[in-house]
Every structure is written in structure tokens, then in C-alpha cells.
Amino acid sequence: MSDTLTAASTLAGRGIRLSRRNLDAVITSMMLPIMLMLIFVYFFGGAIDTGTRYVTYVVPGVLVLCAGFGAAGTAVSVSEDMRLGVVDRFRTLDVGGTPFLAGHVAAAVTRNALSTTLVLAAAFAIGFRPAATPGGWLAAIGLLLAYITAVSWLSAAIGLVARTAEAAGAVTFFMMFLPYPSSAFVPIDTMPSWLHGFAEHQPVTPLIESMRGLLLDQPVGNSPWIALGWCVGLLALALAASGFLFRLRTR
């Protein structure tokens, strides 16, 4: 176990160093959610009635959107390591699939933590004023980290399937798209009726509703438990799929 953790932490450091060498992609993944938040707040916010200031309503959704952008890079980096044969060199050093993928995921979580901080700083600058208690902040951050970890592992599994970086980026577009048909940017009851079922029961809606309630110190009901259940389910699926796919690609 200690050898696995050591290898994973070493490979996470490698992933972070590689990110520093690819600053254009990192800056894009960090700035795009901020730009989208500014567009929604200043271009569309005045026309959308959410019962509160639109910046207050939209920030939780942007944070989840940011997580999707950050996780997508994991698929690309894993796919590139597989294509270039980097993983074969690691295997000669007795580095297995778990530390290899865990290193990529840890690097993704680190990048996402920085992106989330920047998005929150921009949100505060344009008027976001949460009323969360310390416990509410911890719960909201914990749920977001759980989601980031789950989608990063899922993205790593996709990277094992995709044969090129372009294909990996295309497949992970679905994760980046999920916040749009949800309560992230507009109330679900304003959407067409045929879309309500999907918007209400997809993974990110309970996550966004939980974070919104926790950050605004409002009742959240059982939404946090539903969101956590989705995160645990996605993580379990991603762990099983990534283990199987790694063995399949490296046998």
C-alpha cells in the first residue's frame, strides 16, 4: 500500500509539472468557466428570473461546470501517455495501473482546486455574497471535491479507451455539457416539459441544488445525500472500468 501511495504521489507531481509546460491549455480550462459566468451574469442575467440575484444563483453551476472542464484534461493526458508508450516504461519500473491513474486524477483534482478558487474569486468580485456557515462551506466543498474526483476517474477511464487526444476530448464533452440541461443556469420549470425528467434526475442537478442551498444557508432536504450517492456510484463505476480497461490495453 505504501509503495502504491508513493508511486501515485510521484506521478501526481509529474502530472502537475506537465501542466506547467502546457500553460495554454491550463489557462483556457481555468478562464473559460469565468468567461461563461461573466457572459451569463451580464448578458443574460437581466432576462432570467430566479427569485434572487442572478450571480448568486449561477455560481454553484459554474463551479460544477469548471469541474467538468478540469476533468476533461485527464482523459487527454491519459490517452497521450498510452499512445506515446509512457505507461510501458512505467510498467518496467513495476508501476501498476492504480498508481498511474491515481497520479493523473490527483493532478486533475489539484488543477481543479486552483480553478475553483479563481472562479470563486471572480464571483466575489462581481457581487457573489454567500451566507454559508462554516459547516455549510465544508459540506459544499466536500461535495464538489467528491464530484471532481468521480468525474476525473471517469475521464481517466475514457482516456484508456480513446486512441487519440482529440477523441478523448470529444468524448469528455458530455461531462462538460451536463450542467446545461440542469438547474445550473435557469430554473428547471422554465425548460420544455419533455426535458424536465432528465434535468431533475441527472447527476449534477442534486449537486448544484445542494451547493446552492449550503452556500446560501437555505434548506437542502435530501439533495446532498442524492448528490453523494451519484458521486459514489460514478466513482465505483469509473474504478471498475479503468481497472478492466488498463489490463485490456496493456496485456
Side-chain angles (χ1 to χ4, degrees):
M1 178 62 73
S2 61
D3 290 341
T4 299
L5 292 175
T6 300
S9 62
T10 301
L11 291 174
R14 168 185 175 267
I16 294 172
R17 289 192 296 273
L18 289 175
S19 297
R20 293 205 303 264
R21 298 174 190 173
N22 194 16
L23 283 179
D24 53 344
V26 174
I27 291 174
T28 299
S29 67
M30 290 181 178
M31 296 306 298
L32 191 55
I34 295 176
M35 294 173 62
L36 286 173
M37 178 174 64
L38 296 176
I39 289 171
F40 272 98
V41 170
Y42 290 114
F43 291 6
F44 309 132
I48 301 175
D49 181 17
T50 61
T52 184
R53 293 188 63 200
Y54 189 66
V55 65
T56 302
Y57 181 89
V58 80
V59 167
V62 173
L63 293 176
V64 174
L65 183 68
C66 180
F69 280 120
T74 310
V76 173
S77 59
V78 170
S79 177
E80 282 292 277
D81 277 354
M82 298 297 293
R83 184 181 67 84
L84 297 174
V86 174
V87 69
D88 293 327
R89 293 196 289 272
F90 286 150
R91 292 185 71 207
T92 63
L93 300 173
D94 199 27
V95 175
T98 299
F100 168 69
L101 296 173
H104 278 286
V105 170
V109 172
T110 302
R111 291 193 301 267
N112 253 316
L114 178 58
S115 299
T116 299
T117 302
L118 292 176
V119 169
L120 277 175
F124 276 105
I126 63 174
F128 179 57
R129 296 296 182 268
T133 63
W137 273 108
L138 288 175
I141 292 171
L143 285 173
L144 185 60
L145 284 176
Y147 177 73
I148 290 171
T149 303
V151 295
S152 295
W153 269 107
L154 189 60
S155 186
I158 292 171
L160 292 171
V161 175
R163 299 290 178 172
T164 65
E166 291 77 10
V171 175
T172 52
F173 171 78
F174 181 70
M175 289 189 295
M176 294 184 286
F177 176 76
L178 270 181
Y180 292 99
S182 74
S183 61
F185 302 108
V186 297
I188 291 176
D189 59 11
T190 65
M191 300 178 182
S193 58
W194 57 265
L195 190 55
H196 287 185
F198 176 78
E200 290 174 353
H201 299 102
Q202 59 132 314
V204 303
T205 295
L207 174 65
I208 292 169
E209 292 296 323
S210 299
M211 292 180 59
R212 185 176 288 132
L214 290 167
L215 292 177
L216 300 181
D217 197 22
Q218 296 175 349
V220 293
N222 61 351
S223 291
W225 297 110
I226 297 174
L228 188 60
W230 270 110
C231 292
V232 172
L234 289 173
L235 180 59
L237 174 64
L239 287 170
S242 59
F244 171 77
L245 291 169
F246 185 84
R247 291 190 297 272
L248 186 66
R249 287 290 304 274
T250 58
R251 66 182 179 182

